[in-house]
Amino acid sequence: MNILESIVFGLFSGLSDVLPVSSQAHKAIILKLFGEHEENPVLRLFIHIAILAALYYSCSSHIMRIVRQIRLSKIPKRKRKRPLDVQMLMEFRLVRTMIIPVLLSLLLYNKTAPWGTKLHLTALFLLLNGVILFLPNLLPTGNKDARSMSGLEGLLMGLGASVSVLPGVSSVGGALSVASVCGAERSFALGTTYLMQMVLTIGLIGFDLAAVFAAGISGLSAGVLLGYVLAAAAAFGGTYLGIRAMRMLAVNIEYSIFAYYSFGAALLSFLLYLMV
């Protein structure tokens, strides 16, 4: 890809990673439109690092609040200078439960990743993503937070996110849809989902590093490296903008909007497959 294509690729990678649409599917579609067969592992590593940085930047204040409460909880009660924020501790436990199935799903990553190059499968999984996003709209909204969410519900949210091992299903969309079915308040569910997404991204960076070491970096010229850096910058910006947009929409958003978008992306994927 040239520099402009790399920037566009990075921007859409960042946006689609934090919106309830599939990042893998969008990458496959864009690569096809640009006439490329697969994503370079070094480029993928740069983009995932940028996405992780944007997630941390956007959620840093929330993360620090949780860290402070964890540290405070280790101090004997009689020596504490301020009361514990129990909700922050319970949210940490919920996220920790969500992470378990997500990390287990990464064991299948190398087996399912090649499916992302098959556009007819991508189209099928995008349809599945649309169905997953549409179903919660048939149910009433809830107002549960960490204090009223059970460990089982956290585990189910993690299972919803782990379906993203299928290239075309969104981890954010899966977790948010399950959270809605469980009656979670949308802003709360969004915050915990992004914390879970950080852990998932760290796992993907591990796979990227292994792929880079296996393939080597021969042919990585200054021009190509510049394109990768600009793609990473675009991914950071796309991730940050996507998170801000989701936070603004979290109160009144209808997941059916993204469901219809997924159906449209599935149609485009299938048309591109027929054009091969």
Side-chain angles (χ1 to χ4, degrees), residues 57-124:
Y57 178 76
S58 300
C59 304
S60 57
S61 60
H62 194 74
I63 293 171
M64 293 311 299
R65 285 177 62 193
I66 292 176
V67 171
R68 283 195 295 267
Q69 294 307 311
I70 293 173
R71 290 175 178 173
L72 187 61
S73 67
K74 296 179 180 180
I75 300 175
K77 186 175 181 179
R78 64 181 181 277
K79 295 183 178 180
R80 292 175 194 157
K81 296 181 179 180
R82 57 181 181 273
L84 278 174
D85 187 339
V86 178
Q87 182 173 346
M88 287 291 101
L89 291 176
M90 296 184 74
E91 184 171 343
F92 170 70
R93 295 190 185 102
L94 185 70
V95 173
R96 189 172 57 187
T97 305
M98 291 171 61
I99 289 171
I100 295 172
V102 171
L103 292 179
L104 290 175
S105 71
L106 287 175
L107 299 175
L108 301 174
Y109 179 75
N110 283 331
K111 294 184 177 181
T112 59
W115 296 355
T117 61
K118 304 180 187 300
L119 287 176
H120 62 295
L121 290 179
T122 299
L124 177 63

Side-chain angles (χ1 to χ4, degrees), residues 13-266:
S13 297
L15 275 171
S16 58
D17 203 72
V18 294
L19 297 177
V21 294
S22 170
S23 177
Q24 292 188 71
H26 280 75
K27 288 180 180 181
I29 293 171
I30 293 173
L31 287 173
K32 177 61 179 178
L33 292 174
F34 288 165
E36 299 289 336
H37 296 291
E38 59 182 358
E39 183 183 6
N40 184 284
V42 178
L43 173 60
R44 185 166 61 244
L45 173 62
F46 274 47
I47 287 176
H48 278 150
I49 291 175
I51 290 172
L52 177 63
L55 281 165
Y56 179 78
Y57 178 76
S58 300
C59 304
S60 57
S61 60
H62 194 74
I63 293 171
M64 293 311 299
R65 285 177 62 193
I66 292 176
V67 171
R68 283 195 295 267
Q69 294 307 311
I70 293 173
R71 290 175 178 173
L72 187 61
S73 67
K74 296 179 180 180
I75 300 175
K77 186 175 181 179
R78 64 181 181 277
K79 295 183 178 180
R80 292 175 194 157
K81 296 181 179 180
R82 57 181 181 273
L84 278 174
D85 187 339
V86 178
Q87 182 173 346
M88 287 291 101
L89 291 176
M90 296 184 74
E91 184 171 343
F92 170 70
R93 295 190 185 102
L94 185 70
V95 173
R96 189 172 57 187
T97 305
M98 291 171 61
I99 289 171
I100 295 172
V102 171
L103 292 179
L104 290 175
S105 71
L106 287 175
L107 299 175
L108 301 174
Y109 179 75
N110 283 331
K111 294 184 177 181
T112 59
W115 296 355
T117 61
K118 304 180 187 300
L119 287 176
H120 62 295
L121 290 179
T122 299
L124 177 63
F125 294 138
L126 278 168
L127 285 174
L128 175 60
N129 189 68
V131 172
I132 290 172
L133 292 173
F134 188 80
L135 287 177
N137 293 281
L138 305 177
L139 301 172
T141 57
N143 57 1
K144 289 184 178 180
D145 58 18
R147 292 168 295 186
S148 50
M149 294 282 289
S150 67
L152 176 59
E153 289 170 326
L155 188 65
L156 291 174
M157 288 176 65
L159 286 172
S162 66
V163 182
S164 66
V165 73
L166 302 175
V169 181
S170 165
S171 57
V172 172
L176 290 179
S177 292
V178 174
S180 292
V181 172
C182 292
E185 193 273 326
R186 285 174 174 169
S187 295
F188 162 74
L190 186 66
T192 56
T193 296
Y194 283 150
L195 294 179
M196 175 273 303
Q197 190 73 4
M198 287 183 63
V199 177
L200 175 60
T201 305
I202 292 172
L204 293 176
I205 288 174
F207 283 105
D208 297 338
L209 287 170
V212 169
F213 284 128
I217 57 174
S218 59
L220 188 63
S221 64
V224 172
L225 183 60
L226 175 62
Y228 291 174
V229 171
L230 292 175
F236 181 95
T239 303
Y240 178 74
L241 291 175
I243 292 173
R244 291 201 62 174
M246 285 295 289
R247 284 174 174 169
M248 287 188 294
L249 296 171
V251 177
N252 298 314
I253 190 172
E254 292 185 2
Y255 293 127
S256 58
I257 297 174
F258 295 104
Y260 296 137
Y261 177 86
S262 295
F263 295 148

